[in-house]
């Protein structure tokens, strides 16, 4: 019977090998024929394809050249507009500053400038220029002259005059004691407000630095961005000192008495910029204005939105959008212009707005592309129509060929299914016979083992009684007869009394060991459990390890395999226990074979002792992946496998072992068994990193949907 089965297996293997070789040749031939037929069938369309490709390429090339020219023209036009905007802003600022210089000349030319003279000189400029918010005349008042100066101003029809400063909430309070004060004496603005008279400009933190710089250097100085008190608009305070006649060049603190006063011009930034935009047409062009001399947080001044056509001074919009630069500016610095405002440097960032470089600007290139493509398409369609009849005939021939190939593929599939059915039938019969054999052997061995184990209990009791009796005799008769004493020395009574209990204990352990092996064989075969039952997975793994124990122990030239168990808390699993144990057996056997082969590499030629450079290990880890899925991970620290081997790992009859040492059926059977349990069997491996198998099965079988798969980890790791 066994010989017939082996002959049948051999014939089946040869048939499968021949069919595989024939199938590979057919696949290669079919692919070559399909490629050849495809080229031949489409050969007549080559003129049309060449016409289409050539015409399209020329059309796109011509459009690209025109497109590039349009981009260059648009770029030059953009930079011209940016330059004009920069010049207009500089001219507007210079115009406003020139008024302050003219007022300085007025002071230099006059012996004394009264309040009325100041008003008549300033009012016409305020009426002509909306950017000038106010013009102030500031005097330096030392602390020793403060009281007298306040009294003199009160006499000029300002009875409540005093030098004051503002609290953070804009309330007026008396100026704190300082070494000097810079109060506003004259003030002219579009909106008259005499309450400003007497305000100490040096008390304002955002204006004091510019005032001090102007007084110390004797030159014009401007403040950073400030908020106007009257309308909360962004503003700019410019200070221009006016020295007395025939003063020295010393403008330090010791020479401040030489100053006649300081002219302070307050400008509204939005009006100043808006005045510059009147002569410009900024269609779809945005810009941002920054003060480079200010701190990072205070640099933003104002921005212009071309879509809304308005200036925005909200600091929340200070960050420019640089994603729409395109071909206009390669980098943001190309769109930047710098100019001076008094002693400060302002930066103008000009950016193209939405739709600036849109399709309307490329109408010429698009028209050329459209005309070229239209002519190319017309010519291509004409050529295709002339070849259509021939193509239809070739298509009919091709369809008939495809039908024949489909019939051939169906026959090959039927042959493959028949081979798989034969393989499953043989494997089922083999496992059934093996299960019956294991169960019969286990039953026959179990009876005498139970008899021996049961009698060893009584034998141990009898032996203890006899030893106790002899001990009592020795105590009662310490001087035995010569014959008894000679017999005791002959049999070595002391050794027997000490060794006999050990022998009985060893026999008992041997009988228990046989009982455990028999139990493991019964658990492994599970012949009495033909139906699915809820079993303990760990018990099946332990039974498999018991059977393989002889291969795990150290031997001559082999250090043994260390088995690391990392069992999780698993519920009982509904399965065919015997078939699942067979999967464990196949996977563990392959791991042991790999470790034996790896260990032989470290054994020197002609030696039987083992070098401890490599310690073979097998790790078994169980875990509950989800509420209805358990996973058994079996990993070894062997050589691993390549991707090509992994792709064919579960194919029937595929093996990497030498001829005669492997059938290539173990993992294929295991894969089908796990699939039958609605689970999955996967392999994680890489050369030099070991191999790990994931066996996932559901806790409870489901009739319509399989258990959800959980993605595995990267791979096995050994510390």
């Amino acid at each position: 019977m066994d010989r017939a089965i082996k002959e049948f297996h051999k014939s089946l293997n040869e048939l499968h090998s021949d069919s595989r070789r024939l199938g590979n040749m057919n696949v290669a031939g079919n692919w070559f024929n399909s490629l050849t037929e495809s080229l031949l069938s489409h050969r007549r369309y080559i003129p049309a394809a060449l016409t289409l490709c050539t015409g399209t390429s020329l059309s796109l090339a011509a459009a690209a050249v025109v497109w590039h020219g349009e981009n260059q023209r648009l770029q030059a036009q953009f930079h011209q507009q940016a330059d004009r905007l920069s010049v207009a802003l500089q001219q507007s600022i210079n115009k406003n500053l020139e008024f302050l210089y003219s007022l300085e000349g007025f002071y230099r030319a006059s012996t004394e400038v009264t309040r009325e003279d100041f008003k008549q000189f300033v009012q016409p400029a305020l009426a002509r220029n909306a950017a000038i918010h106010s013009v102030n005349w500031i005097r330096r008042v030392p602390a020793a002259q403060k009281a007298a100066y306040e009294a003199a101003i009160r006499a000029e029809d300002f009875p409540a005059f005093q030098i004051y400063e503002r609290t953070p909430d804009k309330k007026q309070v008396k100026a704190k004691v300082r070494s000097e004060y810079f109060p506003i004496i004259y003030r002219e603005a579009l909106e008259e407000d005499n309450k400003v008279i007497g305000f100490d400009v040096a008390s304002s933190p955002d204006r004091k630095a510019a005032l001090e710089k102007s007084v110390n250097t004797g030159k014009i100085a401007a403040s950073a961005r400030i908020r106007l008190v009257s309308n909360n608009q962004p503003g700019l305070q410019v200070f221009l000192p006016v020295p007395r006649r025939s003063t020295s060049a010393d403008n330090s603190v010791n020479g401040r008495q030489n100053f006649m006063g300081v002219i302070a011009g307050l400008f509204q930034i939005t009006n100043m910029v808006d005045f510059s935009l009147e002569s410009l047409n900024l269609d779809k062009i945005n810009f941002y204005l920054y003060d480079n001399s200010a701190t990072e947080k205070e640099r933003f001044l104002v921005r212009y939105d071309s879509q809304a056509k308005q200036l925005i001074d909200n600091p929340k919009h200070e960050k420019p959008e640089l994603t729409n630069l395109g071909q206009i500016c390669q980098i943001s610095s190309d769109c930047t212009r710098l100019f001076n405002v008094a002693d400060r440097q302002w930066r103008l960032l000009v950016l193209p707005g939405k739709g600036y470089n849109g399709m309307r600007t490329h109408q010429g290139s698009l028209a050329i592309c459209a005309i070229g493509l239209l002519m190319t398409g017309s010519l291509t369609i004409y050529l295709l129509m002339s070849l259509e009849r021939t193509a239809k005939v070739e298509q009919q021939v091709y369809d008939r060929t495809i039908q024949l190939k489909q019939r051939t593929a169906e026959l090959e599939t039927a042959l493959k299914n028949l081979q798989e059915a034969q393989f499953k039938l043989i494997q089922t019969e083999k496992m059934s016979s093996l299960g019956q054999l294991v169960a019969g052997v286990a039953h026959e061995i179990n009876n005498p083992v139970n008899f021996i184990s049961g009698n060893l209990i009584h034998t141990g009791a009898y032996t203890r009684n006899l030893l106790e009796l002899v001990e009592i005799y020795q105590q009662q008769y310490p001087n035995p007869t010569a014959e008894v004493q000679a017999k005791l020395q002959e049999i070595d009574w002391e050794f027997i009394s000490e060794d006999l209990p050990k022998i009985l204990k060893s026999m008992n352990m041997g009988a228990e060991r046989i009982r455990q092996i028999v139990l493991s064989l019964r658990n492994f075969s599970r012949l009495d459990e033909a139906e699915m039952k809820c079993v303990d997975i760990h018990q099946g793994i332990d039974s498999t390890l018991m059977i393989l124990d002889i291969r795990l122990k150290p031997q001559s030239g082999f250090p043994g395999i260390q088995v690391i168990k990392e069992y999780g808390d698993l519920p009982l699993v509904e399965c065919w226990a015997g078939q699942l144990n067979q999967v464990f057996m196949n996977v563990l056997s392959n791991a042991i074979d790999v470790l034996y082969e790896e260990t032989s590499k470290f054994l020197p030629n002609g030696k039987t002792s083992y070098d401890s450079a490599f310690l073979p290990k097998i790790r078994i880890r169980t875990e509950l992946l989800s509420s209805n899925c358990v996973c058994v991970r079996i990993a070894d620290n062997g050589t691993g496998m390549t991707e090509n081997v992994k792709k064919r790992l579960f194919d029937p009859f595929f093996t990497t072992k030498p001829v005669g040492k492997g059938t290539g059926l173990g993992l294929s059977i295991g894969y089908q068994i796990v699939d039958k349990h609605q689970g999955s069997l996967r392999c994680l491996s890489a050369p030099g990193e070991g191999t790990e198998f994931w066996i996932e099965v559901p806790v409870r079988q489901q009739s319509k949907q399989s258990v959800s798969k959980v993605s595995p980890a990267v791979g096995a790791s050994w510390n």
Side-chain angles (χ1 to χ4, degrees), residues 11 24 56 77 79 87 94 179 186 265-266 285 300 370 404 423 452 466 488 513 560 571 651 654:
S11 301
N24 292 336
T56 302
Q77 180 182 351
H79 286 290
V87 172
N94 292 341
S179 61
Y186 300 162
L266 187 60
I285 292 181
F300 175 73
L404 293 175
F423 162 72
I452 294 172
L466 291 175
L488 291 175
R513 175 68 175 172
D651 291 347
F654 174 76

Side-chain angles (χ1 to χ4, degrees), residues 552-582:
L552 300 173
K553 290 182 178 181
Q555 301 175 11
S556 177
F558 182 69
I561 299 175
Q562 180 184 2
V563 179
I564 304 172
K565 298 180 182 179
E566 298 178 1
Y567 288 171
D569 187 10
L570 302 183
L572 298 180
V573 178
E574 183 182 11
C575 64
W576 287 281
Q579 296 182 12
L580 209 56
N581 290 341
Q582 184 182 358

Side-chain angles (χ1 to χ4, degrees), residues 43-192:
R43 181 177 57 185
R44 60 176 53 87
Y45 296 106
I46 293 178
L50 291 176
T51 301
L52 179 62
C53 294
T54 304
T56 302
S57 300
L58 293 176
S59 301
L60 294 178
V65 172
V66 178
W67 185 289
H68 180 68
E70 291 172 341
N71 280 337
Q72 288 184 332
R73 177 183 56 80
L74 193 65
Q75 184 178 7
Q77 180 182 351
F78 174 82
H79 286 290
Q80 290 177 359
Q81 289 180 307
D83 293 336
R84 287 199 296 268
L85 175 61
S86 176
V87 172
L89 284 173
Q90 184 71 73
Q91 291 176 349
S92 175
I93 293 170
N94 292 341
K95 179 181 178 182
N96 289 284
L97 296 182
E98 285 173 0
F99 171 70
L100 299 184
Y101 283 111
S102 65
L103 184 57
E104 180 200 17
F106 176 68
Y107 266 93
R108 286 177 178 269
S110 303
T111 304
E112 182 181 359
V113 178
T114 64
R115 194 179 302 275
E116 186 64 25
D117 295 337
F118 186 83
K119 179 178 181 180
Q120 291 181 2
F121 189 88
V122 173
Q123 280 291 344
L126 292 177
R128 292 192 305 269
N129 195 344
I132 304 177
H133 186 267
S134 66
V135 181
N136 304 317
W137 172 247
I138 301 172
R139 294 292 298 270
R140 173 184 174 272
V141 180
Q145 303 175 9
K146 178 176 178 291
Y149 193 80
E150 289 179 339
I153 299 299
R154 292 192 193 102
E156 296 181 10
D157 200 18
F158 290 94
F161 176 82
Q162 68 172 354
I163 299 176
Y164 72 91
E165 60 185 52
R166 294 191 183 98
T167 61
D169 56 353
K170 308 302 181 183
K171 292 183 179 180
Q172 296 182 5
V173 296
K174 185 178 180 180
K176 298 177 181 179
V177 177
R178 284 188 287 273
S179 61
E180 59 182 358
Y181 303 89
F182 290 88
I184 297 176
I185 305 304
Y186 300 162
R187 180 180 187 275
E188 292 298 328
L190 296 176
E191 298 178 1
E192 186 175 355

Side-chain angles (χ1 to χ4, degrees), residues 6-24:
K6 291 181 180 179
E7 291 292 335
F8 181 79
H9 270 292
K10 184 177 180 181
S11 301
L12 185 62
N13 290 338
E14 293 176 354
L15 177 61
H16 184 77
S17 300
D18 293 340
S19 62
R20 184 181 293 273
R21 287 193 296 268
L22 182 60
N24 292 336

Side-chain angles (χ1 to χ4, degrees), residues 389-523:
R389 289 186 178 180
T390 306
K392 288 183 178 180
V393 174
E394 292 181 352
Q395 185 63 37
Q396 292 178 357
V397 175
Y398 179 76
D399 292 340
R400 293 291 180 89
T401 305
I402 292 297
Q403 292 178 1
L404 293 175
K405 290 181 179 179
Q406 291 177 349
R407 295 293 299 273
T408 304
E410 292 175 357
L411 293 175
E412 291 178 352
T413 303
L415 176 61
K416 183 178 180 180
N417 293 336
L418 177 61
Q419 292 175 345
E420 291 181 356
Q422 292 174 343
F423 162 72
K424 290 180 180 179
L425 178 61
I426 294 171
Q427 186 61 29
T428 301
E429 292 295 331
K430 185 177 74 171
M431 290 307 299
S432 176
S433 301
L434 178 61
Q436 293 177 0
L437 176 62
V438 169
V441 172
H443 178 72
E444 293 299 328
I445 294 177
N446 196 42
N447 289 333
V449 167
N450 288 336
F451 175 76
I452 294 172
S453 179
N455 288 334
L456 282 175
I457 297 175
H458 301 292
T459 303
Y462 298 159
T463 303
R464 285 193 301 272
N465 293 335
L466 291 175
L467 292 176
E468 290 174 359
L469 178 60
V470 172
E471 185 178 356
I472 293 173
Y473 267 100
Q474 287 180 340
Q475 292 176 358
Q476 294 294 330
Y477 301 99
N479 298 317
T481 62
E483 185 179 358
V484 173
Q485 190 172 2
K487 189 62 175 178
L488 291 175
Q489 292 179 354
E490 180 183 352
I491 66 176
D492 195 357
W493 168 251
E494 293 181 358
F495 175 77
I496 291 176
S497 61
E498 181 180 353
D499 191 52
L500 184 59
K502 295 180 180 180
I503 293 175
L504 293 175
K505 183 178 180 180
S506 177
M507 293 171 63
N508 194 22
M509 291 175 61
E512 182 63 25
R513 175 68 175 172
I514 296 174
R515 290 180 68 252
Q516 291 180 0
I517 293 174
V518 171
L519 181 60
S520 297
L521 289 173
R522 292 177 59 85
N523 290 335

Side-chain angles (χ1 to χ4, degrees), residues 356-368:
Y356 182 80
N357 192 14
M359 289 299 177
R360 290 186 178 182
T361 60
H362 298 286
Q363 292 180 354
S365 57
L366 294 177
I368 291 176

